Amino acid sequence: GGGGGGGGEQQLRTAVWCGYVFCGACTNNEAEYTGLVEGLRAALCLGVEDLGVEGDSQLVIKQLEGAYQVKSANLRPYHAEAGGLLEQFRSFELRHVERALNAAADALANQAMDSRSTRSQAFCPS
């Protein structure tokens, strides 16, 4: 396989976090979880208490909602970490969005793969 990258753009009321993580030879689902975990960590560092997460990976969203089992052993640690981070928020909402509506996150994931690097920015320009 090639490489993977996870990207995310999380709306935090009036602030936005964006970034990308190069995770090497990881699967697409591992990359999706990696981007989510980095966004959750940033939101916690920023003191966010109520969080809305939009993701284009239906598998990740459904697994975190408990609608799908985590059957792949390689995803269990990612799922556990994301779930543990989500529990630290006062409230959170997970919402699946079509990939076409998540172009900014997709572009960030592509940057991670193209640059083979990681970048995190606490606040993105609107």
Side-chain angles (χ1 to χ4, degrees), residues 7-123:
E9 184 172 272
Q10 312 295 330
Q11 181 70 36
L12 310 174
R13 295 187 189 199
T14 58
V16 173
W17 170 86
C18 71
Y20 52 82
V21 178
F22 178 70
C23 55
C26 64
T27 68
N28 182 56
N29 291 324
E30 289 170 335
E32 292 284 352
Y33 267 113
T34 298
L36 172 62
V37 163
E38 291 305 312
L40 295 174
R41 286 181 182 155
L44 286 168
C45 286
L46 291 169
V48 173
E49 295 179 343
D50 303 301
L51 181 70
V53 174
E54 293 182 345
D56 60 22
S57 171
Q58 184 175 3
L59 178 80
V60 169
I61 298 295
K62 294 289 188 185
Q63 285 178 338
L64 289 168
E65 290 175 338
Y68 291 176
Q69 292 180 344
V70 184
K71 294 182 180 178
S72 297
N74 63 314
L75 293 183
R76 289 185 188 129
Y78 295 95
H79 178 266
E81 184 173 12
L85 291 168
L86 284 169
E87 289 176 1
Q88 296 180 49
F89 293 95
R90 180 174 57 195
S91 68
F92 64 87
E93 180 183 351
L94 304 170
R95 187 167 78 97
H96 176 254
V97 295
E98 295 301 318
R99 185 174 182 172
L101 300 176
N102 207 18
D106 195 44
L108 288 168
N110 288 332
Q111 283 182 325
M113 289 183 286
D114 292 345
S115 68
R116 303 179 73 81
S117 65
T118 296
R119 184 195 78 164
S120 183
Q121 187 173 339
F123 301 98

